[in-house]
Amino acid sequence: MKHEQFIDLVEANPVVAAVKDDAGLEKCIASDIGVVFVLYGDIVSIPGIVSRLNAAGKTVLVHMDLITGLAPKEVSVDFIHAKTSAAGIISTRSNLIEHAASLGMNTVLRYFMIDSIALRNVQRQSEARVQPDIVEILPAILLPEFISKIKAITRVPLMASGLVTTKKEVLNALNAGAVAVSTTDQRLWTA
């Protein structure tokens, strides 16, 4: 999927399902959700997880940092690219984002906004040669006022995630300028 198509798809599906276990996988497959972040699995199960979601018509990104058995190395991105039909990856590691982009995969670079150093890291990354398709910031519920600040720093669409449990929190993030919100809260997958 081309990067522009991916961003358009995320904007058209502003609630992204973040699946963290088999029960969530089943709920997601049965839902109308269009974009899915896979936050669990291992090197044996991840191809099957992605395949099931794709068969249900979902666009799938795999969170590289959370898959058991994958090292924070480019070869792990090669594995996801070669052995699954994932549309892309999520990671906190810019080297994995850069490598996935070089393979034509869609990318989401995740930042935990815990202090001013994290904000400087967003600034530094925005000046880097390779950019992710989307920057994801966490936790969403604490950051609505920072979304516009971070949007001014980065040149890519922004997603908010983490601790989102109500429709109001989703709307707060979207109204602050996020293109989407990812959440593990299954009640919001149908809201």
Side-chain angles (χ1 to χ4, degrees), residues 10-178:
V10 170
E11 288 177 342
N13 295 274
V15 175
V16 173
V19 176
K20 63 180 179 176
D21 55 29
D22 287 337
L25 175 66
E26 297 304 325
K27 177 81 171 188
C28 182
I29 287 170
S31 77
D32 291 331
I33 228 61
V35 181
V36 181
F37 289 177
V38 176
L39 310 181
Y40 83 109
D42 56 46
I43 60 172
V44 174
S45 65
I46 196 64
I49 292 168
V50 173
S51 179
R52 290 192 65 207
L53 288 164
N54 284 149
K58 315 298 183 191
T59 298
V60 182
L61 279 80
V62 174
H63 195 315
M64 300 294 297
D65 307 352
L66 301 178
I67 305 303
T68 303
L70 293 182
K73 297 181 187 267
E74 288 80 2
V75 69
S76 295
V77 176
D78 293 337
F79 172 81
I80 294 297
H81 186 254
K83 301 296 181 184
T84 78
S85 53
I89 68 159
I90 308 149
S91 183
T92 59
R93 303 176 194 292
S94 59
N95 65 313
L96 299 184
I97 296 297
E98 183 174 359
H99 187 64
S102 76
L103 296 173
M105 299 179 82
N106 298 296
T107 59
V108 175
L109 181 57
R110 179 177 266 194
Y111 288 102
F112 293 93
M113 302 305 295
I114 57 173
D115 56 21
S116 60
I117 294 170
L119 191 57
R120 284 195 297 273
N121 285 340
V122 173
Q123 174 71 44
R124 190 172 56 246
Q125 178 61 32
S126 71
E127 297 165 355
R129 184 175 53 88
V130 174
Q131 296 292 316
D133 294 309
I134 295 176
V135 166
E136 181 182 31
I137 59 170
L138 292 92
I141 63 168
L142 302 177
L143 296 173
E145 64 276 3
F146 283 96
I147 290 174
S148 60
K149 185 183 288 190
I150 295 168
K151 279 185 70 172
I153 293 171
T154 185
R155 296 180 297 266
V156 298
L158 189 68
M159 176 181 280
S161 306
L163 303 176
V164 178
T165 59
T166 68
K167 187 173 182 177
K168 181 179 180 187
E169 292 164 349
V170 170
L171 293 173
N172 286 344
L174 296 174
N175 290 335

